[in-house]
Every structure is written in C-alpha cells, then in structure tokens.
Amino acid sequence: MHYLSKTAEKVFRTLVEGLNEPGDARKVDNTNGVFMPVHVEIIDRSQYGNHVSIAHYYEQEGDLMKDPEMTFLDSLKGSVLPMTFEQDGGLPVYQVAMEIDKNGTIRRNVKLQKQLAEFADMWMKNIKDQQRL
C-alpha cells in the first residue's frame, strides 16, 4: 500500500480536524481569493475508516468543476491512502487507485496508488503554502 508521507499527512490532519461523520465538511480559504479555496468533506465510512474528499473547484457555465478532487481513506490504523483522482475541464480524468465494496473487499491498482500518493504529497505541500496552514 502507498500512503501519504508524514509531512503530507500532517497537512491532511489539519484539513480534516474536527470532521468526524459522513457529511461533515469545511471550506478553507485563507487567501481572500488569491488561491482557490480547499473543500474538505467526509463522504463515506467503511470498516477501514473515513473516506475523505479534498478538492479545489472553479465555476464554468454555472457548473462546479473539480480542479482536482482526490479521495482518501483515513484509515483507522492511522495512515492515509489515496483512493481516487478526478479532474474536470479540457480532457477530464477519473482514476481509481483503490476501492472498497460494501462487503469490505479492497481492490487496488498498486502503480496508480503510488502515483497518486506522490501527487498528493506535492499537492498537500502546495495547499499548506497557499493557505498558510
């Protein structure tokens, strides 16, 4: 399994602080519109932990567009694993590195999960810098 680095996980923990149940959400905007706000939401829960969405959005012709959105498993074991990546606009991208079905079976694409973990490490650093976390 490929996890977020400890540095990226610290940023993730700051973003999800106080969010506990599916539906709990927040918007982080410490830049008065200079950078895109970060939207954080617990979107589901499995036997392995909370499923968390972190996203930037922009509006195009009245629609909210993901730029990007990633979902993560905030594992009950204390680690954070990337699950999906989605980017709207231009040539849309939707990638699934890990999914958990209702029976608790985990399916993973090891190579893609490693790539998403590397991207998330960089993205969390950018979020930390841009939002002054």
Side-chain angles (χ1 to χ4, degrees):
M1 299 245 188
H2 294 280
Y3 307 96
L4 296 188
S5 69
K6 293 299 178 191
T7 303
E9 186 179 331
K10 278 183 171 180
V11 177
F12 178 91
R13 296 276 170 232
T14 299
L15 293 171
V16 300
E17 187 176 359
L19 305 180
N20 301 305
E21 302 293 325
D24 288 356
R26 79 159 38 100
K27 179 172 103 173
V28 178
D29 186 3
N30 297 326
T31 69
N32 296 321
V34 173
F35 293 104
M36 296 167 79
V38 180
H39 298 265
V40 184
E41 180 180 5
I42 298 178
I43 56 173
D44 198 6
R45 177 177 289 146
S46 68
Q47 66 201 54
Y48 303 106
N50 284 331
H51 300 208
V52 178
S53 165
I54 298 179
H56 290 302
Y57 294 104
Y58 66 93
E59 192 172 324
Q60 178 176 305
E61 298 181 16
D63 295 325
L64 287 180
M65 308 293 280
K66 299 170 183 86
D67 189 30
E69 176 195 38
M70 288 189 74
T71 61
F72 300 88
L73 173 64
D74 186 3
S75 168
L76 295 173
K77 293 182 179 181
S79 54
V80 179
L81 297 105
M83 296 178 71
T84 66
F85 175 92
E86 189 167 3
Q87 178 83 37
D88 292 332
L91 294 173
V93 175
Y94 181 67
Q95 299 174 309
V96 178
M98 185 172 108
E99 60 187 348
I100 303 169
D101 70 20
K102 294 300 178 190
N103 297 320
T105 302
I106 298 174
R107 289 176 188 68
R108 289 187 316 120
N109 177 324
V110 176
K111 183 178 177 183
L112 180 57
Q113 191 176 47
K114 180 178 189 269
Q115 292 170 348
L116 294 186
E118 290 170 353
F119 174 82
D121 286 348
M122 178 190 64
W123 192 35
M124 290 296 129
K125 179 189 180 314
N126 290 346
I127 289 171
K128 177 185 177 202
D129 293 346
Q130 291 172 356
Q131 296 297 331
R132 298 185 292 267
L133 299 177

